[in-house]
Amino acid sequence: MRVAVIGQGYVGVTGAVALARQGHHVTGVEKDPARLRSLAGGRAPVCEPGLQQELGLALGTGRLSFAPGLSRAHVAEPFEVVLITVGTPPAEDGAADLSQVKAALGEVAELLPAPYAVLKSTVPPGTSERLTAEHPRLRDRYAYNPEFLNQGSALDDWSAPSRVVAGVWAPPVVDVLRALYGALACPWVVTAPTTAEMAKYAGNAFLATKISFANECARLCATPDLNIDQVMQAVGLDPRIGHAFLQPGLGFGDSCLPKDTAALARWAASRGLPTPLLDAVIDVNRDQAALVRDTLRRELGADLPRSEVAVLGARYEPWSDDVRAAPSRTVVPQLLAEAAGVRVWDPATDADELARLFPGARPCADLRTAVRGARAVAVLTEWPEAVEADWSLLATELAAPAVVVDGKNCLLPERLAGLPLTYRSAGNRLPARAAASFGDGAPYAAPST
Ligand SMILES: NC(=O)c1ccc[n+]([C@@H]2O[C@H](COP(=O)([O-])OP(=O)(O)OC[C@H]3O[C@@H](n4cnc5c(N)ncnc54)[C@H](O)[C@@H]3O)[C@@H](O)[C@H]2O)c1
């Protein structure tokens, strides 16, 4: 098929590459000139495992190209299907900003002959109904087909999704989607667009709920007689629950859950529908982002304003360079507001970018320089370089008495045992009944699982 994909962000570029790999002829449409140049030059504009290589291979087949606009490419050789994967960022009040979707749909509606339009961006329930009302011709050739990929495994998720949700008004459109995606070994949920829109938001709200639940458990397990790791391990072993999204820490800070939970709550409020559970999930998450600041206030007291704090990691996850809602964006300003001196180290982000993201903080090129002379360390990304570091060496660089706040609950407590520092995390991770701080040199006994 001849396919266009409007918007070459994480979802769009993944989709364009995967569809070309499948054998379709794909044009990735991108309005940002820098991003377009990068794509045309074979450089993936986002960091995603395998994407760079697959982009090169797809370009090499001649089945993938990129263009700044839709209409000229369509005139040359009409598209049969146009996927819309543009952004739906949060507006100031938390609602989804639908301006990119509206504009893209308008562009598709003008094409003749008319292609099928497949909206994949995450939008509030009722959006397809409302926006296609302005383009009635589109309705029989329209699907709302939300994307469920995860950053870090985007290509695999695209090619082998857990389910396809197809929201259509005209059943034949489902056949078009089946031809587009080929044989997929997953269930299909075929429904109306509004239900499909809600299904995407509800799925993300549930994932967010699991994370806030884990963080609430961590708050309940903050004393030395409890061990949060073992509690969550036991909880997740229940096959009805599972371990995914049960990791305590600084809360959800990826590019989707913060904005989608806020947008769903905003959508419900605009209809006068109460969302007490969702509101609590969002509140817990907001408070959780203050874990580092609040812990350092407690541990360093009046010293915090004069203390140097080394922030390790700018990203939410090592495998994604998407920092739109990463906890670092909250934690660093919070520490600067306490008048602490803040250094930021992130092995995959260059100094210029760190300086742009965190005005007032000092970018550091290596881990050892970052911690040298610091009273506190805040771990915000589970970088292997930090998790696997020789902490006995790093401890010698710290200014005593030092505190390490593990915002990802990713450090291995046994590696820190006996070192002259106080370790803090979301909930207590030391063996139950051990001293809350093992900076006293007490021998560490690995917890039995
Ligand atoms: N990022 C994820 O992991 C993920 C996962 C599932 C669903 N989603 C949803 O998918 C949608 C896209 O997410 P994303 O992270 O890829 O977005 P993004 O903001 O990273 O990328 C969107 C791209 O679309 C381009 N664009 C916007 N309007 C355009 C137009 N008219 N013509 C050409 N280009 C245009 C922008 O320049 C940008 O490069 C969002 O609704 C998001 O919520 C994202």
Side-chain angles (χ1 to χ4, degrees):
M1 297 172 102
R2 267 190 51 81
V3 182
V5 183
I6 309 183
Q8 292 295 291
Y10 281 86
V11 175
V13 71
T14 300
V17 165
L19 289 168
R21 186 168 66 176
Q22 230 180 289
H24 298 299
H25 289 264
V26 183
T27 303
V29 181
E30 175 53 56
K31 68 175 184 185
D32 175 344
R35 187 163 279 204
L36 184 66
R37 265 196 309 280
S38 161
L39 286 162
R43 289 183 308 282
V46 295
C47 166
E48 180 60 39
L51 186 63
Q52 179 59 54
Q53 189 190 0
E54 289 295 335
L55 172 65
L57 291 173
L59 285 169
T61 65
R63 291 195 298 269
L64 177 62
S65 59
F66 295 97
L70 189 63
S71 50
R72 194 177 298 175
H74 185 73
V75 169
E77 211 180 332
F79 298 115
E80 294 158 84
V81 183
V82 178
L83 269 58
I84 299 173
T85 57
V86 298
T88 46
E92 266 189 15
D93 63 356
D97 175 351
L98 300 174
S99 55
Q100 294 180 37
V101 172
K102 209 169 171 240
L105 210 54
E107 290 172 41
V108 180
E110 282 176 11
L111 300 181
L112 281 174
Y116 288 91
V118 179
L119 177 60
K120 295 193 72 66
S121 305
T122 305
V123 295
T127 300
S128 295
E129 187 73 57
R130 195 161 51 78
L131 295 188
T132 57
E134 295 167 29
H135 313 289
R137 230 168 24 90
L138 269 184
R139 284 177 69 97
D140 284 352
R141 305 173 77 79
Y142 179 89
Y144 179 68
N145 170 223
E147 182 50 52
F148 296 102
L149 62 76
N150 291 296
Q151 290 176 12
S153 55
L155 278 164
D156 290 346
D157 293 344
W158 179 286
S159 308
S162 55
R163 75 285 205 198
V164 174
V165 177
V168 299
W169 288 291
V173 182
V174 177
D175 298 332
V176 176
L177 287 177
R178 288 191 194 277
L180 182 70
Y181 293 138
L184 292 175
C186 70
W188 284 59
V189 178
V190 178
T191 181
T194 304
T195 299
E197 290 161 347
M198 185 63 189
K200 172 66 186 174
Y201 272 112
N204 275 359
F206 187 72
L207 296 176
T209 302
K210 286 187 84 176
I211 294 175
S212 280
F213 173 80
N215 281 327
E216 187 155 296
C217 286
R219 293 177 196 180
L220 301 178
C221 296
T223 49
D225 56 339
L226 288 157
N227 181 309
I228 184 62
D229 287 351
Q230 291 176 327
V231 168
M232 296 326 284
Q233 185 195 14
V235 170
L237 282 170
D238 184 329
R240 294 168 301 178
I241 298 174
H243 283 114
F245 288 75
L246 277 189
Q247 175 75 10
L250 283 163
F252 45 88
D254 63 324
S255 64
C256 290
L257 299 190
K259 82 175 177 64
D260 293 347
T261 47
L264 180 57
R266 192 72 197 78
W267 173 85
S270 71
R271 278 156 185 75
L273 302 169
T275 51
L277 179 57
L278 184 60
D279 296 346
V281 166
I282 293 169
D283 286 350
V284 168
N285 200 59
R286 190 189 42 243
D287 294 348
Q288 204 63 20
L291 174 79
V292 171
R293 183 198 60 198
D294 293 351
T295 304
L296 292 183
R297 274 183 180 166
R298 236 183 356 259
E299 296 294 335
L300 301 184
D303 284 351
L304 177 56
R306 288 183 303 282
S307 295
E308 287 289 313
V309 182
V311 168
L312 307 187
R315 295 175 169 196
Y316 176 61
E317 295 160 322
W319 48 85
S320 169
D321 58 354
D322 195 338
V323 291
R324 285 178 275 193
S328 59
R329 310 292 297 273
T330 308
V331 171
V332 172
Q334 279 178 348
L335 294 175
L336 290 169
E338 297 290 313
V342 182
R343 308 97 177 262
V344 187
W345 165 86
D346 188 284
T349 311
D350 66 31
D352 289 347
E353 181 64 2
L354 289 175
R356 190 189 68 75
L357 289 170
F358 307 111
R362 181 157 70 84
C364 286
D366 70 275
L367 181 53
R368 212 162 155 186
T369 310
V371 302
R372 187 164 296 145
R375 265 296 295 281
V377 176
V379 179
L380 307 192
T381 313
E382 56 273 51
W383 281 114
E385 292 89 330
V387 175
E388 306 291 331
D390 180 346
W391 280 89
S392 60
L393 197 68
L394 294 183
T396 63
E397 300 282 6
L398 292 167
V403 183
V404 174
V405 187
D406 185 354
K408 280 298 187 107
N409 282 20
C410 62
L411 298 183
L412 305 171
E414 57 270 32
R415 291 209 175 191
L416 307 182
L419 300 179
L421 53 83
T422 299
Y423 174 73
R424 294 288 181 248
S425 51
N428 176 47
R429 301 180 68 223
L430 305 178
R433 297 189 197 290
S437 157
F438 50 81
D440 56 8
Y444 175 86
S448 61
T449 50

